[in-house]
């Protein structure tokens, strides 16, 4: 006899049980840095074993809970999504606390949340003495968060297909609408993660043919495909002079910014359907446009030293920032005021929905501009009936309203985040730039947190606030903010 969940009832036991399975999965991911630590004869390898034991014990305890019902509705899906990212960050920070990085609880949580949300902002002053196991763990954390923790769970735990799977899918995957590639949500998740894994392995394989050693190739491959931006060098890619590496990274940052459903269609032979996609055309156009503007700025400013300064470097910067990876040249801020304005625009926009990138997503801006165009048309033709189309299909009114609400709320969250940082004592310019960088999951800093500074210089209360902004931005606002409304908890 089926157990019916009462209306208004939140199935906390089932939530904890699923989180327990996620902790067990996180334990398995800790195995790779553990092995690396032991291979490099680092004490961190043994410390990782302790972290694995703590995480596995807590996960097993949660799995042992016996819920009265295994059903999960929309509220459980929203709560599970938010709780998962916080809980996994709390356990994911254990290696930073135990493995010789000398980070406080605040800094360890910040570093882990920055990794899971693929923001790439770091509180580590230098990476020169950081154990190899920690360097790998930072990149593994980013890679898990790139396509989504919940999405990975749906792929490996098919049982969730019958327990609110579609609600979980919608709560985490970025974008306006979410189309299932295959009949079951778990099969869709498996398809997307298969593409993600294959592209990551190809990226790592290509980097192995460069001047990078295998360890660095793995780390950069994980970080690039997830568009996270964590690096193994203090000055990011600027310490790597190999043109081949830049081209490889650029190509996979670009693919990380493409809707993975679109990549799946390309792989499965639906090439014409993929290239008819309006958003991907805008994505390519914007990259080329911003690259040309940056190149012209270098020429006009007299900053050109070699041909790369007006070819590869501007293109690399455009792809890196628009995809929210955040890998930059050290002299980027010396290019003048125009590049910084371009940088802010790209950070705000982001790449395609359904990708690993941050930002508000190009899809929403395409809809916004078409909506504005229609409104101007109605001023001259009041009786005209207009429709906002995307990829040749009309956009339903609820989706249009949700898109406009999202963009408005996106600006409000950035403004509130910047105001909060100003009130606790940070300079005005830094505050709003950091807020935008956190919400867009880009991770770039300016002045205090830029090339000559570090997020470690910020007060603890600022780091907790920024961690919250990173989480809100990664889960696209509504999933987290809705839990602050009393109506969400009301029966």
């Amino acid at each position: 006899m089926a157990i019916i969940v009462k209306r208004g009832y939140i199935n906390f036991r089932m939530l904890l049980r699923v989180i327990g399975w996620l902790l067990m999965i996180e334990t398995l991911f800790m195995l790779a840095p553990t092995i690396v630590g032991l291979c490099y004869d680092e004490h961190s390898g043994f410390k990782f074993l302790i972290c694995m034991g703590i995480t596995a014990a807590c996960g097993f305890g949660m799995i042992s809970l016996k819920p009265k019902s295994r059903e999960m509705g929309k509220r459980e899906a929203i709560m599970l999504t938010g709780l998962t990212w916080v809980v996994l960050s709390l356990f994911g920070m254990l290696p930073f606390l135990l493995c010789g990085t000398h980070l406080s609880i605040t800094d360890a949580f910040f570093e882990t949340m920055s990794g899971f949300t693929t923001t790439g902002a770091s509180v580590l002053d230098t990476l020169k003495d950081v154990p190899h196991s920690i360097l790998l763990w930072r990149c593994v954390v980013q890679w898990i968060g790139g396509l989504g923790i919940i999405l990975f769970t749906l792929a490996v735990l098919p049982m969730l297909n019958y327990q609110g799977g579609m609600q979980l899918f919608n709560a985490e995957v970025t974008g306006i609408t979410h189309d299932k590639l295959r009949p079951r949500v778990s099969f869709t998740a498996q398809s997307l993660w298969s593409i993600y894994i294959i592209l990551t392995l190809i990226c790592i394989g290509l980097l192995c043919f460069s001047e990078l050693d295998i360890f660095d190739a793995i780390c950069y491959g994980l970080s690039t495909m997830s568009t996270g931006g964590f690096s193994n060098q203090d000055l990011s890619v600027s310490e790597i002079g190999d043109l081949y590496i830049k081209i490889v990274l650029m190509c996979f940052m670009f693919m990380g910014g493409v809707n993975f459903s679109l990549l799946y269609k390309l792989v499965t032979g639906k090439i014409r359907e993929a290239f008819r996609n309006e958003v991907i055309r805008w994505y390519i156009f914007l990259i080329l446009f911003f690259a040309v503007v940056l190149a012209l700025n270098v020429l006009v400013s007299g900053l050109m030293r070699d041909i790369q300064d007006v070819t590869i470097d501007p293109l690399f910067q455009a792809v890196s920032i628009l995809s929210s990876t955040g890998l930059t040249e050290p002299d980027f801020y010396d290019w003048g005021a125009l590049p910084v304005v371009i940088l802010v625009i790209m950070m705000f926009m982001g790449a395609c929905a359904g990708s690993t990138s941050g930002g508000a997503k190009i899809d929403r801006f395409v809809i916004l501009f078409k909506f504005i165009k229609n409104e101007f048309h109605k001023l001259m033709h009041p009786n005209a009936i207009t429709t906002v189309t995307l990829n040749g299909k009309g956009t339903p009114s609820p989706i249009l309203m949700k898109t406009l609400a999202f963009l408005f709320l996106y600006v409000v969250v950035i403004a509130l985040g910047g105001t909060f940082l100003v009130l606790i004592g940070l300079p005005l310019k830094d505050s709003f730039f950091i807020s935008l960088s956190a919400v867009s999951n880009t991770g770039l800093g300016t002045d205090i947190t830029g090339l000559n500074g570090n997020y470690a210089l910020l007060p603890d209360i600022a780091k907790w606030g920024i961690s919250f902004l990173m989480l809100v931005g990664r889960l696209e606002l509504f999933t987290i903010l809705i839990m602050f409304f009393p109506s969400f908890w009301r029966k």
Side-chain angles (χ1 to χ4, degrees), residues 42-56:
E42 298 171 339
H43 292 295
S44 60
F46 297 100
K47 298 292 181 63
F48 257 98
L49 288 173
I50 298 174
C51 297
M52 290 179 66
I54 295 172
T55 306

Side-chain angles (χ1 to χ4, degrees), residues 14-15 24 27 38 44 46 66 69 124 148 153 195 248 265 271 329 377 418-419 436 447 461 473 477:
M14 188 60 198
L15 289 179
M24 298 302 288
T27 303
L38 295 174
S44 60
F46 297 100
K66 302 296 183 183
S69 169
L124 293 172
T153 310
I195 298 297
V248 171
K265 290 178 181 178
I271 299 175
E329 293 289 334
H377 181 76
T419 303
L436 170 60
D447 292 349
I461 187 172
L477 311 184

Side-chain angles (χ1 to χ4, degrees), residues 250-383:
M250 185 168 56
C251 291
F252 285 90
M253 285 189 296
F254 170 82
M255 284 188 281
V258 175
N259 189 321
F260 272 75
S261 297
L262 202 64
L263 293 175
Y264 178 81
K265 290 178 181 178
L266 282 171
V267 171
T268 53
K270 299 177 182 178
I271 299 175
R272 292 182 62 183
E273 183 179 346
F275 280 100
R276 282 200 299 263
N277 187 278
E278 192 173 353
V279 177
I280 190 66
R281 294 201 299 267
W282 273 104
Y283 180 42
I284 296 171
F285 168 77
L286 288 170
I287 288 174
L288 296 176
F289 173 77
F290 289 130
V292 169
V293 173
L294 293 175
L296 290 175
N297 179 80
V298 171
L299 284 173
V300 173
S301 303
L303 298 172
M304 179 179 172
R305 295 163 301 184
D306 55 52
I307 193 64
Q308 283 193 45
D309 289 337
V310 291
T311 53
I312 296 298
D313 287 352
L315 188 59
F316 185 93
Q317 296 304 323
V319 174
S320 175
I321 306 304
L322 203 59
S323 67
S324 80
T325 310
L327 296 174
T328 59
E329 293 289 334
D331 57 353
F332 183 80
Y333 296 103
D334 297 331
W335 287 3
L338 179 61
V340 176
V341 173
I342 296 295
L343 179 146
V344 169
I345 294 172
M346 289 192 290
M347 286 170 61
F348 189 90
M349 291 188 71
C352 305
S355 67
T356 61
S357 70
K361 305 298 185 298
I362 295 172
D363 309 55
R364 293 189 175 95
F365 284 98
V366 172
I367 288 178
L368 173 65
F369 292 142
K370 288 189 175 185
F371 174 77
I372 293 173
K373 179 184 175 182
N374 286 350
E375 291 303 303
F376 277 114
H377 181 76
K378 287 181 180 179
L379 289 175
M380 299 301 297
H381 306 87
N383 297 323

Side-chain angles (χ1 to χ4, degrees), residues 17-31 52-63 88 152 157:
R17 183 179 171 86
V18 175
I19 291 174
W21 280 110
L22 283 161
L23 288 177
M24 298 302 288
I25 293 171
E26 186 175 28
T27 303
L28 292 177
F29 276 109
M30 287 183 182
L31 186 60
M52 290 179 66
I54 295 172
T55 306
C58 293
F60 182 77
M62 292 181 185
I63 292 172
L88 263 66
F152 181 81
L157 296 178

Side-chain angles (χ1 to χ4, degrees), residues 24-272:
M24 298 302 288
I25 293 171
E26 186 175 28
T27 303
L28 292 177
F29 276 109
M30 287 183 182
L31 186 60
T34 301
I35 295 172
V36 166
L38 295 174
C39 289
Y40 279 94
D41 197 23
E42 298 171 339
H43 292 295
S44 60
F46 297 100
K47 298 292 181 63
F48 257 98
L49 288 173
I50 298 174
C51 297
M52 290 179 66
I54 295 172
T55 306
C58 293
F60 182 77
M62 292 181 185
I63 292 172
S64 301
L65 295 173
K66 302 296 183 183
K68 294 180 180 179
S69 169
R70 294 191 176 187
E71 296 295 326
M72 288 196 298
K74 186 173 291 186
R75 283 201 298 176
E76 283 89 351
I78 292 172
M79 286 186 64
L80 178 61
T81 304
L83 282 173
T84 293
W85 288 75
V86 174
V87 172
L88 263 66
S89 294
L90 287 171
F91 283 89
M93 74 179 187
L94 291 177
F96 292 105
L97 292 174
L98 301 178
C99 297
T101 57
H102 308 294
L103 295 181
S104 64
I105 292 177
T106 298
D107 287 345
F109 182 82
F110 180 95
E111 191 81 10
T112 312
M113 181 61 74
S114 176
F116 273 122
T117 58
T118 70
T119 304
S122 181
V123 292
L124 293 172
D125 293 325
T126 179
L127 300 176
K128 293 181 180 178
D129 298 322
V130 175
H132 288 78
S133 55
I134 290 295
L135 291 176
L136 180 60
W137 178 237
R138 293 166 82 233
C139 297
V140 167
V141 162
Q142 279 196 331
W143 189 75
I144 299 170
L147 205 55
I149 301 169
I150 296 295
L151 191 63
F152 181 81
T153 310
L154 289 170
V156 298
L157 296 178
M159 69 176 185
L160 293 179
N161 192 72
Y162 308 100
Q163 300 159 9
M166 195 60 198
Q167 288 93 333
L168 291 170
F169 186 80
N170 290 331
E172 183 184 66
V173 176
T174 63
I176 303 170
T177 59
H178 307 121
D179 298 324
K180 292 196 296 181
L181 299 175
R182 300 171 69 183
R184 292 184 180 179
V185 177
S186 58
F187 290 165
T188 297
Q190 290 168 8
S191 300
L192 295 177
W193 265 92
S194 297
I195 298 297
Y196 189 51
I197 292 171
I198 290 170
L199 288 176
T200 303
L201 292 175
I202 293 173
C203 182
I204 293 172
L206 291 174
L207 289 174
C208 286
F209 289 100
S210 68
E211 64 182 30
L212 296 177
D213 59 31
I214 295 178
F215 177 78
D216 284 336
I218 292 173
C219 289
Y220 273 106
L222 296 173
S223 184
T224 301
M225 200 60 239
S226 64
T227 63
F230 273 152
S231 172
N232 286 1
Q233 283 78 29
D234 289 335
L235 293 178
S236 188
V237 295
S238 61
E239 292 188 13
I240 301 173
D242 192 340
L243 176 61
Y244 171 79
I245 295 176
K246 284 187 177 181
I247 292 174
V248 171
L249 295 180
M250 185 168 56
C251 291
F252 285 90
M253 285 189 296
F254 170 82
M255 284 188 281
V258 175
N259 189 321
F260 272 75
S261 297
L262 202 64
L263 293 175
Y264 178 81
K265 290 178 181 178
L266 282 171
V267 171
T268 53
K270 299 177 182 178
I271 299 175
R272 292 182 62 183

